[in-house]
Amino acid sequence: MKTTRLEAFSDGVLAIIITIMVLELKVPHGVDLAALKPVLPVLLSYVLSFIYLGIYWNNHHHLFQATEQVSGGILWANLHLLFWLSLFPFTTAWMGQNHIAPTPTAVYGFVLLMAAIAYEILQLVIITKQGRESFLALAVGKDWKGKLSPVLYLAAIPLAFVSSWIASALYAFVALLWLIPDPRIEKALKKRDD
Amino acid sequence: MKTTRLEAFSDGVLAIIITIMVLELKVPHGVDLAALKPVLPVLLSYVLSFIYLGIYWNNHHHLFQATEQVSGGILWANLHLLFWLSLFPFTTAWMGQNHIAPTPTAVYGFVLLMAAIAYEILQLVIITKQGRESFLALAVGKDWKGKLSPVLYLAAIPLAFVSSWIASALYAFVALLWLIPDPRIEKALKKRDD
Amino acid sequence: MKTTRLEAFSDGVLAIIITIMVLELKVPHGVDLAALKPVLPVLLSYVLSFIYLGIYWNNHHHLFQATEQVSGGILWANLHLLFWLSLFPFTTAWMGQNHIAPTPTAVYGFVLLMAAIAYEILQLVIITKQGRESFLALAVGKDWKGKLSPVLYLAAIPLAFVSSWIASALYAFVALLWLIPDPRIEKALKKRDD
Amino acid sequence: MKTTRLEAFSDGVLAIIITIMVLELKVPHGVDLAALKPVLPVLLSYVLSFIYLGIYWNNHHHLFQATEQVSGGILWANLHLLFWLSLFPFTTAWMGQNHIAPTPTAVYGFVLLMAAIAYEILQLVIITKQGRESFLALAVGKDWKGKLSPVLYLAAIPLAFVSSWIASALYAFVALLWLIPDPRIEKALKKRDD
C-alpha cells in the first residue's frame, strides 16, 4: 500500500478538526464589543489548538515523506494519533468556555500528552519496520523535542491545579519549541536527494 | 471512469463522518472531573464507532486497489455504503447519551448490519463486473469474516433487549475480528505484483 | 488552469454537504422506538437529498471528464452551483422537521430548481468555451433530462400548496430519472477513446 | 517539500469553512414564508462570505501555481491566512443574525482586513524566497487590488458605526473588484508556457 491515500485521509481529518473547532466559538447574543468578552478565552484556546494542529500536520507530512510503504501497524498507529487529535475541539472548548479552570486545563494537557505519545508510537512503528539503520531512524536521531514534550505535559497537568496559567504557559512553550519546522528530517531528505 | 475520484470522494466522506461524531461530545457545564462522567459513555461509543470507521476505510481501500474501473452500479453501491456509514454519528450519540439503553443499542446494531450488507453488495457488484474468475473474486475467497459479521449483528440486535452489555460486547468482538487487516487481498496483490 | 484542483475542491464541498446534513438528525431524548418517530420524516428527506447530491456528484464528474481547461467563467459557474447545493442541508431539515409542510416543501423545490439551473449554466459556459461543435456539445445533445427537470420542479412548487405529497413525489420522480447514469457522455467518451 | 499537499490541505480547510457557514442558517420553527424573514440577513451575509471565500480559493490557486517549493515560512504564512479565514463563519453569523448591527459589521470588516493582510504576507514570503526578479514578483507587479483592499476595509470599519449599510456596501464593492479573476498571473503563466 502506498502512503498517498493515508496522507490524503489524514489531511482530510486534520483539516476538519482544525475547522470544526471554530464551531465552538458561539455567536454572542449582544451586539457590542462587550459581547465578545466571553468569546475571548475560547478564541485564545482556539489559537493554541490551531497552532498545535498546524504543527502536527507539518510533522506528519515530514514523517510520511520519509516513509514509502504502509503496513497494517502503521495504519492503526496513524488512526490512533488521529483519534487523540480529534478530541482537541472538545478539550479546547471546555478549557476556553471556563476561563482556563484547573480541571479542563489539566484534561487539555492530558489529550496533548496522549497525542504526543501516539505520535512517538507512530514514528517508532515506522522506524521499526524500516530498520534501525534506516534513513528515518538516522534523520530523527535523538529526537530531544519528542522526548521533552511529554515530560513538560506531565509536569503541566498537576501544575494546572496550582495555577492554570502556568500550565497554559507550558503548553504554549512546547508549541513554540515545535513551531520551528524540524530541520533534521528536512536536512536528511536534502542530503539523500543529493 | 477511473477509481481515483471515487476513492477521493469516499475518503472525504469517511473523514468527515469520523470527525463530526466528536461534535456529539457535548462540552460539560461543570469544571471538575465529575462533569466528565456523563461524557464517558458517549466517549466509549465514539471509540467503538471510530474503530469501525477505521476498519471500513481500510477495507474500502483494499477493495478499490483491486478494482480498476468504476461502473454506474459500483458508484451507487458505494454511495449506498456511505449512506449507512453516515448514520453512525446519529446512532453513536443516541446510544452513548443514554448509557447503552436497549433500543438505541439495537438500532446501533441495525445500522452496523446495514453497513455490513452494503459492503457485501459493493464487493459483489465489483466481482460480478470483473467475473467469477477475476483477481478480486479469488482474493476474497470464502470471505468468512464478511459472512459471520452480519450473523453476529443479527444475534446482537434482539440480545440488546436482554442485556445491552452483551450486545455491545458482540459489536466490540466483531470489530476485533476485523482489526487485523484482511491478509487475503494483500497477499493476492503481492502475488500478482510478483 | 487544469481541472484537477477544481474537481478536488468540488468533491470536498459535496462530501461535506452530504455529510453535515446528518447533523440535522437530532438525537431523540427518549430511548424507545417511538422516540424515533419524529426523526423519520427528517430521515426520509435526508435520503432524498443524499440521492440528489449523489446524482450531482456523478454528473459533475462526467461533465469535467469532458472538460480540459478551466476559465474564470467556468470557475464561478461552478461556485454558483456549489452555492445552491450548499443550501440543501437547510431546506432538507426545514422540510423534514415539519412533516413536509407546504411552504418548506415548495422552498425545497425552489433550491432544487436553482441548482438545476446552475448546472445548466455551468454546462453552457463549458460548451460555449469549447465551441458548438465540441465533443461535449455533441455528447450532451438535446439534453431532455436537463430540460425536463426544471419544468417538473416549476410544476411541483405551486403543487406543494395543493398537496405536499404530490410535490415530494415529483421530486422523487426526477431523482429516479437521473439515477440511471447519463449514458450520453459516457458513450461519447468511449467512442472518443476508441 | 512540494506544494501539492499544502494545496490539498488548504483546499480541504476552505471547502469546510465555506460549507459549515451554512450551519448558521438556523432552521426556522414556523412553516410559512414569514418564518424565513429572520433567515434572510443571515443568508445575505452568507452569500457575501461565500463569494469572498471563492475569491480567496481562486487567488490562492493562482498563487501556488506560480510557486514550486514550500519552505517553513510559506507553510506558516499559509496557516496564518487559513486562521483568519476560519473566523469567517463566526463573524458572518454574528453580523447576519443581528441585522448588520454596527459592531458585528465592524468586526466582520476587521477579519476581512486581517485575512487580506495575511494574504499579502503570504505573497511577500513567497516572492522573497523566489527573489525580486522572479516570475511571481513580475506577475504580481504593482498589485493595486491587494493594496487598495485593506485601505477600503480600514475605511469601512469606523464607517460601520455611522451606517452599517455603507460599510457592507464597501465590503461588497471590494468583492466585486476581485470577482474578476486576476489576469496578471494568468497572463504571465501563459507567457512562460509559450
Side-chain angles (χ1 to χ4, degrees), chain A residues 7 11 30-31 46 60-61, chain D residues 1 5 76 86 90 94 98 103:
Chain A
E7 286 182 77
D11 274 8
V31 293
Y46 173 54
H60 189 271
H61 187 14
Chain D
M1 200 198 293
R5 202 173 161 189
W76 285 104
S86 82
F90 175 77
W94 198 30
N98 293 292
T103 311

Side-chain angles (χ1 to χ4, degrees), chain C residues 6 70-83 118 121-122 125, chain D residues 18 47 50-59 175 178-182:
Chain C
L6 188 140
V70 176
S71 65
I74 292 174
L75 194 139
W76 284 104
N78 187 57
L79 276 170
H80 179 235
L81 171 63
L82 292 180
F83 172 75
I121 292 174
L122 174 61
V125 171
Chain D
I18 219 170
V47 171
F50 193 97
I51 292 172
Y52 261 111
L53 288 167
I55 291 165
Y56 271 105
W57 176 72
N58 189 8
N59 289 346
W178 283 100
L179 220 84
I180 309 138
D182 199 322

